[in-house]
mmCIF file of all heavy atoms in Angstrom:
data_model
loop_
_atom_site.group_PDB
_atom_site.id
_atom_site.type_symbol
_atom_site.label_atom_id
_atom_site.label_comp_id
_atom_site.label_asym_id
_atom_site.label_seq_id
_atom_site.Cartn_x
_atom_site.Cartn_y
_atom_site.Cartn_z
ATOM 1 N N ALA T 809 313.142 146.001 252.809
ATOM 2 C CA ALA T 809 312.916 144.811 253.621
ATOM 3 C C ALA T 809 311.479 144.317 253.478
ATOM 4 O O ALA T 809 311.219 143.105 253.434
ATOM 5 C CB ALA T 809 313.233 145.111 255.088
ATOM 6 N N GLU T 810 310.558 145.282 253.398
ATOM 7 C CA GLU T 810 309.154 144.902 253.265
ATOM 8 C C GLU T 810 308.901 144.230 251.923
ATOM 9 O O GLU T 810 308.177 143.249 251.821
ATOM 10 C CB GLU T 810 308.261 146.131 253.436
ATOM 11 C CG GLU T 810 306.777 145.842 253.438
ATOM 12 C CD GLU T 810 306.348 144.948 254.596
ATOM 13 O OE1 GLU T 810 307.102 144.835 255.596
ATOM 14 O OE2 GLU T 810 305.260 144.342 254.506
ATOM 15 N N ARG T 811 309.557 144.771 250.835
ATOM 16 C CA ARG T 811 309.385 144.158 249.517
ATOM 17 C C ARG T 811 309.948 142.734 249.513
ATOM 18 O O ARG T 811 309.356 141.821 248.934
ATOM 19 C CB ARG T 811 310.089 145.020 248.464
ATOM 20 C CG ARG T 811 309.919 144.482 247.030
ATOM 21 C CD ARG T 811 310.550 145.408 246.030
ATOM 22 N NE ARG T 811 309.875 146.694 246.007
ATOM 23 C CZ ARG T 811 308.713 146.925 245.379
ATOM 24 N NH1 ARG T 811 308.108 145.922 244.750
ATOM 25 N NH2 ARG T 811 308.176 148.112 245.385
ATOM 26 N N LYS T 812 311.085 142.540 250.180
ATOM 27 C CA LYS T 812 311.693 141.212 250.245
ATOM 28 C C LYS T 812 310.782 140.228 250.972
ATOM 29 O O LYS T 812 310.595 139.085 250.550
ATOM 30 C CB LYS T 812 313.054 141.320 250.938
ATOM 31 C CG LYS T 812 313.821 139.998 250.984
ATOM 32 C CD LYS T 812 315.190 140.201 251.634
ATOM 33 C CE LYS T 812 315.955 138.885 251.694
ATOM 34 N NZ LYS T 812 317.302 139.062 252.334
ATOM 35 N N ARG T 813 310.193 140.692 252.096
ATOM 36 C CA ARG T 813 309.295 139.817 252.870
ATOM 37 C C ARG T 813 308.070 139.438 252.068
ATOM 38 O O ARG T 813 307.663 138.264 252.021
ATOM 39 C CB ARG T 813 308.874 140.520 254.159
ATOM 40 C CG ARG T 813 307.973 139.667 255.064
ATOM 41 C CD ARG T 813 307.521 140.452 256.278
ATOM 42 N NE ARG T 813 306.561 141.478 255.947
ATOM 43 C CZ ARG T 813 305.242 141.244 255.753
ATOM 44 N NH1 ARG T 813 304.772 140.019 255.857
ATOM 45 N NH2 ARG T 813 304.430 142.236 255.444
ATOM 46 N N LEU T 814 307.470 140.440 251.427
ATOM 47 C CA LEU T 814 306.253 140.174 250.653
ATOM 48 C C LEU T 814 306.541 139.280 249.446
ATOM 49 O O LEU T 814 305.720 138.426 249.075
ATOM 50 C CB LEU T 814 305.625 141.493 250.197
ATOM 51 C CG LEU T 814 304.977 142.344 251.304
ATOM 52 C CD1 LEU T 814 304.561 143.698 250.756
ATOM 53 C CD2 LEU T 814 303.773 141.619 251.886
ATOM 54 N N THR T 815 307.690 139.463 248.808
ATOM 55 C CA THR T 815 308.050 138.633 247.660
ATOM 56 C C THR T 815 308.187 137.170 248.075
ATOM 57 O O THR T 815 307.742 136.255 247.371
ATOM 58 C CB THR T 815 309.364 139.131 247.039
ATOM 59 O OG1 THR T 815 309.192 140.488 246.611
ATOM 60 C CG2 THR T 815 309.772 138.273 245.844
ATOM 61 N N LYS T 816 308.809 136.945 249.238
ATOM 62 C CA LYS T 816 308.933 135.577 249.752
ATOM 63 C C LYS T 816 307.563 134.971 250.024
ATOM 64 O O LYS T 816 307.300 133.804 249.686
ATOM 65 C CB LYS T 816 309.777 135.602 251.030
ATOM 66 C CG LYS T 816 310.058 134.221 251.608
ATOM 67 C CD LYS T 816 310.961 134.314 252.836
ATOM 68 C CE LYS T 816 311.238 132.941 253.417
ATOM 69 N NZ LYS T 816 312.099 133.033 254.639
ATOM 70 N N ASP T 817 306.641 135.769 250.640
ATOM 71 C CA ASP T 817 305.279 135.274 250.906
ATOM 72 C C ASP T 817 304.545 134.975 249.604
ATOM 73 O O ASP T 817 303.793 133.994 249.509
ATOM 74 C CB ASP T 817 304.506 136.307 251.719
ATOM 75 C CG ASP T 817 305.008 136.427 253.145
ATOM 76 O OD1 ASP T 817 305.792 135.562 253.573
ATOM 77 O OD2 ASP T 817 304.626 137.409 253.826
ATOM 78 N N LEU T 818 304.762 135.805 248.572
ATOM 79 C CA LEU T 818 304.097 135.610 247.283
ATOM 80 C C LEU T 818 304.571 134.312 246.633
ATOM 81 O O LEU T 818 303.762 133.538 246.099
ATOM 82 C CB LEU T 818 304.372 136.796 246.369
ATOM 83 C CG LEU T 818 303.740 136.731 244.971
ATOM 84 C CD1 LEU T 818 302.205 136.684 245.084
ATOM 85 C CD2 LEU T 818 304.178 137.923 244.121
ATOM 86 N N GLU T 819 305.871 134.047 246.694
ATOM 87 C CA GLU T 819 306.408 132.818 246.100
ATOM 88 C C GLU T 819 305.836 131.589 246.802
ATOM 89 O O GLU T 819 305.518 130.577 246.161
ATOM 90 C CB GLU T 819 307.935 132.836 246.197
ATOM 91 C CG GLU T 819 308.589 133.867 245.274
ATOM 92 C CD GLU T 819 310.092 134.004 245.529
ATOM 93 O OE1 GLU T 819 310.571 133.418 246.543
ATOM 94 O OE2 GLU T 819 310.756 134.690 244.745
ATOM 95 N N ALA T 820 305.676 131.665 248.133
ATOM 96 C CA ALA T 820 305.102 130.532 248.877
ATOM 97 C C ALA T 820 303.648 130.301 248.477
ATOM 98 O O ALA T 820 303.196 129.152 248.316
ATOM 99 C CB ALA T 820 305.215 130.795 250.371
#
Side-chain angles (χ1 to χ4, degrees):
E810 185 63 19
R811 182 176 295 281
K812 184 177 180 180
R813 182 184 71 80
L814 289 172
T815 300
K816 184 177 180 181
D817 290 348
L818 180 62
E819 290 172 351

